Amino acid sequence: MDARRLGRWVGVRTRGVATVLSAWRRRRADAAAFRRRPVERARTPGLLLGADPEPGGGCVRFARSVLRLRVSAGGAVFVGWDGCGPLPSYALVGAGPAVDERVVLEPDTGGGWRLVSERVLVTVSRLGAVEVRTPGGVRLRRDLPPRWWESAGEARWEQRTEVPADARFFGLGGRAGGPVLPDGEYRLWNTDPGAFGPGTDPLYLSMPVQWVVADAGAHLVFHDNTWDGRVVLRQGREGAGSGHDRPGRSWVRMSGGPLRYWVLPGPPARALREWAALTGAVAVPSSWALGHQHAR
């Protein structure tokens, strides 16, 4: 190698080393100025371990959580994660409804468990998905395994739900735009926000309350939790011809508090009567049904 080539080679190598050193220095400066945030890992229920029957339902034990299920004499289904029960409650009147002692928690196909009653069928999968069906087996809703993010002794959580493709969402309290809930994200309010118009569209109820109506059946669901939270809704779509149906979806995200909710299956009149029996007053306007007809 002659002197000219040797000088060119040494220059290239020197510039390469300088580039590496410069990049290394920048990374050290960035590391000092922008501390890396700790990775948050969501807790899920884990694998199913077993179950303990109780009057009207029972507890299903998972590796990282316990699911409590209960069916009332009127057909309302209580679902409480991390072992929480219906009481103490923000919404229930008195001691809550009496349980249907004829309901038995029994093994289901695929290694899961189920509750069978005259008005509702509830199944629990090995990973914690909860399905509510009609007595004939038609699915009304499927709640996927929840997720918790825990810090400083508090746990925010998310509950994801799938409903039939033709289902429509109503409710969540007083809204300027009416009872029909189109696709979007909705904030939950703990107090009356005051005067509002079509552009502001706040919610009166702090607890998520939905009425889900589909051709196969309807149900009312509410989470007994008044912590700050949001609800995200995506309407489903029925497949045209040979196309696949896209289920409707709901995400309930709360900043803390218990993950517990009630599902009231049945026609609108029955669901509203059962809700009145649970909470003492009906806060859902009858115009929900009219809104559903217009949306269809």
Side-chain angles (χ1 to χ4, degrees):
M1 180 181 296
D2 57 24
R4 181 179 298 175
R5 291 182 178 178
L6 178 60
R8 186 181 299 115
W9 181 83
V10 172
V12 171
R13 299 289 291 181
T14 303
R15 287 193 298 272
V17 173
T19 301
V20 172
L21 289 175
S22 177
W24 179 74
R25 292 192 187 98
R26 286 196 298 269
R27 284 197 295 270
R28 284 179 60 90
D30 289 347
F34 306 102
R35 297 295 182 185
R36 182 176 298 178
R37 297 181 60 185
V39 177
E40 286 189 297
R41 295 188 176 182
R43 171 170 63 95
T44 57
L47 289 176
L48 191 152
L49 301 179
D52 303 309
E54 297 176 347
C59 289
V60 183
R61 292 177 281 105
F62 294 86
R64 292 181 290 274
S65 188
V66 176
L67 171 65
R68 186 181 300 274
L69 298 170
R70 186 175 297 175
V71 179
S72 73
V77 179
F78 172 79
V79 182
W81 281 99
D82 283 347
C84 68
L87 300 174
S89 170
Y90 303 110
L92 298 185
V93 173
V99 300
D100 186 349
E101 296 189 0
R102 299 170 298 175
V103 176
V104 178
L105 182 64
E106 59 186 32
D108 193 19
T109 58
W113 291 80
R114 67 178 183 176
L115 292 173
V116 182
S117 74
E118 294 180 352
R119 294 184 177 179
V120 66
L121 168 65
V122 182
T123 63
V124 182
S125 75
R126 295 176 63 249
L127 293 177
V130 179
E131 292 190 2
V132 179
R133 298 174 176 264
T134 66
V138 178
R139 181 191 294 176
L140 298 177
R141 66 185 288 116
R142 181 172 187 262
D143 297 319
L144 302 178
R147 295 186 292 179
W148 295 266
W149 291 266
E150 297 167 330
S151 60
E154 297 179 354
R156 53 188 170 89
W157 51 263
E158 177 185 79
Q159 177 74 67
R160 297 168 294 164
T161 300
E162 295 179 351
V163 298
D166 66 327
R168 294 297 178 262
F169 296 100
F170 300 84
L172 289 177
R175 297 178 58 247
V180 181
L181 295 174
D183 289 1
E185 182 173 344
Y186 301 87
R187 173 77 181 275
L188 302 173
W189 294 78
N190 289 322
T191 58
D192 186 345
F196 60 88
T200 54
D201 199 23
L203 307 174
Y204 272 114
L205 294 183
S206 58
M207 290 184 297
V209 180
Q210 298 176 24
W211 184 32
V212 185
V213 181
D215 288 341
H219 67 277
L220 187 148
V221 58
F222 72 94
H223 287 72
D224 197 350
N225 185 319
T226 59
W227 286 61
D228 188 22
R230 294 182 180 274
V231 177
V232 179
L233 300 177
R234 295 290 182 268
Q235 304 289 348
R237 183 175 62 188
E238 296 181 90
S242 59
H244 295 287
D245 288 348
R246 184 185 68 188
R249 290 181 170 86
S250 170
W251 293 264
V252 177
R253 298 166 177 165
M254 304 295 289
S255 60
L259 201 177
R260 60 182 179 182
Y261 56 100
W262 291 82
V263 181
L264 286 58
R270 180 193 300 170
L272 294 179
R273 284 198 305 269
E274 186 65 21
W275 193 27
L278 288 174
T279 63
V282 177
V284 178
S286 60
S287 58
W288 273 12
L290 297 177
H292 172 62
Q293 294 176 1
H294 294 316
R296 307 283 296 191

